[in-house]
């Protein structure tokens, strides 16, 4: 067998005669390295000689075989290398101690050369199969990861297409969905930075949460254009129709979930769609939830949704400045919004403003709505 293809076997024994005889037995089949002590074995490994198998004497001065094996197991480069103890001890306790420390076999001296060769061959074959199985499992893991990423890309595409349907219908909001997604990401950072609801936030799958947030207004596809695009204050009947977009959105998302079999998606997206118009004081819709009965993701979405509506042109209002929007949100702390989330939002308001400037399509449009809208009449509040 060519030298390069041979397995490397290291024989460790403080008896020179045993090293010579062991080498003579093994040299025709393996690339043999002989060392007289555990210290020399570690020097060999340090010089990048990584064995495929180690034959280790138990009774050696300074560092016995058990100590050597314990040190080998601490080294990640050789921890998995099979070790066979070769010793003159024949008591059960010594054999058991070696096996408990991680040895794969225990051969007593004087050994039979054919038996030694067969034991070595058996363990090397076993180690080879173990590595092959590991590589196969690793390949399978990579294949599953690729398929998972492909499914995730498909989900992203579905979310994006559905979100774009809403954007096209509600054209004056421009890139509202894209912006609120970025604001949500920044607000999450603010919550964690200020240790506000951090335990729950850390439990979120944030990328999926942000993806799901794109569908918060998907229910608007069921709202007539005459109401959705009305350039003025809505009548009570029209406002009641607008309110239905939360429930309709949740129903649409549930239908998507049944097709995708993605339960985390339904947990996040449906919750956000249903609850992002609830108010801290219980005066919101559709279920008049209050306080922490409102899901945390809905309370977060509420603020970023309103902020974007305030600083953007809508059919019924002009855009407000960043400072004016912050003042409106601050004034409604404890009524519309969770006070703690408002504090986190204000803490990252500079970052929120920077994100608002990245995509400014809506503000570039010519405003054709009613200039004098009263803040108290704004439907998103």
């Amino acid at each position: 067998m060519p030298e390069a293809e041979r397995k490397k076997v290291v024989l460790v024994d403080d008896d020179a005669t045993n090293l010579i005889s062991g080498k003579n037995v093994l040299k025709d089949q393996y690339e043999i390295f002989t060392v007289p002590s555990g210290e020399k074995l570690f020097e060999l490994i340090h010089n990048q000689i990584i064995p495929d198998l180690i034959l280790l004497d138990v009774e050696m001065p300074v560092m016995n075989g058990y100590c050597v094996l314990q040190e080998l197991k601490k080294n990640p480069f050789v921890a998995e290398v099979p070790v066979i103890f070769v010793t003159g001890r024949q008591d059960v306790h010594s054999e058991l101690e070696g096996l408990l420390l991680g040895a794969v076999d225990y051969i007593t001296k004087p050994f039979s050369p054919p038996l030694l060769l067969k034991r070595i061959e058996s363990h090397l074959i076993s180690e080879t199969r173990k590595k092959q199985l590991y590589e196969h499992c690793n390949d399978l893991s990579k294949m599953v990861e690729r398929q998972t990423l492909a499914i995730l890309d498909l989900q992203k595409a579905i979310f994006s297409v559905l979100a774009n349907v809403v954007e096209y219908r509600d054209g004056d909001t421009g890139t509202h969905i894209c912006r609120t997604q970025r604001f949500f990401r920044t607000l999450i950072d603010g919550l964690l930075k200020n240790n506000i609801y951090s335990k729950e936030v850390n439990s979120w799958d944030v990328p999926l949460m942000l993806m799901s947030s794109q569908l918060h207004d998907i229910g608007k596809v069921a709202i007539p254009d005459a109401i959705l695009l009305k350039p003025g204050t809505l009548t009570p009947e029209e406002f009641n129709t607008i309110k239905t977009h939360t429930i309709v959105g949740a129903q649409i998302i549930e239908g998507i979930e049944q097709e995708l079999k993605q339960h985390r998606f339904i947990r996040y997206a449906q919750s956000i769609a249903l609850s992002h118009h609830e108010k801290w004081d219980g005066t919101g819709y559709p279920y008049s939830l209050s306080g922490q009965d409102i899901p945390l993701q809905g309370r977060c979405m509420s603020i970023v949704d309103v902020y974007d509506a305030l600083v953007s042109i809508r059919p019924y209002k002009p855009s407000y400045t960043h400072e004016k929007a912050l003042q409106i949100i601050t004034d409604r702390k404890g009524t519309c919004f969770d006070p703690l989330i408002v504090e986190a939002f204000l803490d990252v308001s500079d970052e929120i403003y920077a994100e608002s400037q990245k995509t400014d399509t809506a503000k570039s449009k010519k405003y054709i709505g009613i200039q004098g809208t009263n803040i108290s009449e704004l439907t998103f509040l």
Side-chain angles (χ1 to χ4, degrees), residues 127-141:
E127 190 65 21
T128 298
R129 288 176 178 169
K130 185 170 72 173
K131 289 179 180 178
Q132 290 172 341
L133 180 60
Y134 174 80
E135 290 172 359
H136 179 64
C137 290
N138 192 44
D139 289 342
L140 286 176
S141 177

Side-chain angles (χ1 to χ4, degrees), residues 153-220:
D153 286 341
L154 176 61
Q155 290 177 355
K156 287 180 180 179
I158 292 171
F159 295 174
S160 180
V161 168
L162 290 173
N164 283 335
V165 169
V166 180
E167 295 271 72
Y168 285 133
R169 288 207 60 233
D170 196 7
D172 283 307
T173 63
T175 53
H176 167 72
I177 290 171
C178 181
R179 288 194 303 272
T180 53
Q181 192 177 24
R182 298 201 308 271
F183 298 160
F184 202 160
R185 168 72 268 184
T186 304
L187 178 56
I188 287 173
D189 293 339
L191 292 172
L192 294 175
K193 172 186 173 184
N194 290 278
N195 196 30
I196 295 173
Y197 303 124
S198 56
K199 183 176 180 180
E200 182 173 350
V201 173
N202 279 317
S203 74
W204 290 350
D205 181 333
V206 172
L208 185 58
M209 176 75 75
L210 296 176
M211 258 200 300
S212 300
S213 74
Q214 296 177 92
L215 301 188
H216 67 279
D217 276 339
I218 187 64
K220 285 185 177 180

Side-chain angles (χ1 to χ4, degrees), residues 30 32 128 140 185 261 314 361:
Y30 304 106
I32 302 299
T128 298
L140 286 176
R185 168 72 268 184
K261 309 300 181 190
R314 292 292 173 87
T361 308

Side-chain angles (χ1 to χ4, degrees), residues 233-246:
T233 304
L234 300 176
T235 66
E237 293 77 14
E238 290 170 335
F239 188 46
N240 285 334
T241 300
I242 282 284
K243 289 179 180 180
T244 64
H245 84 274
T246 53

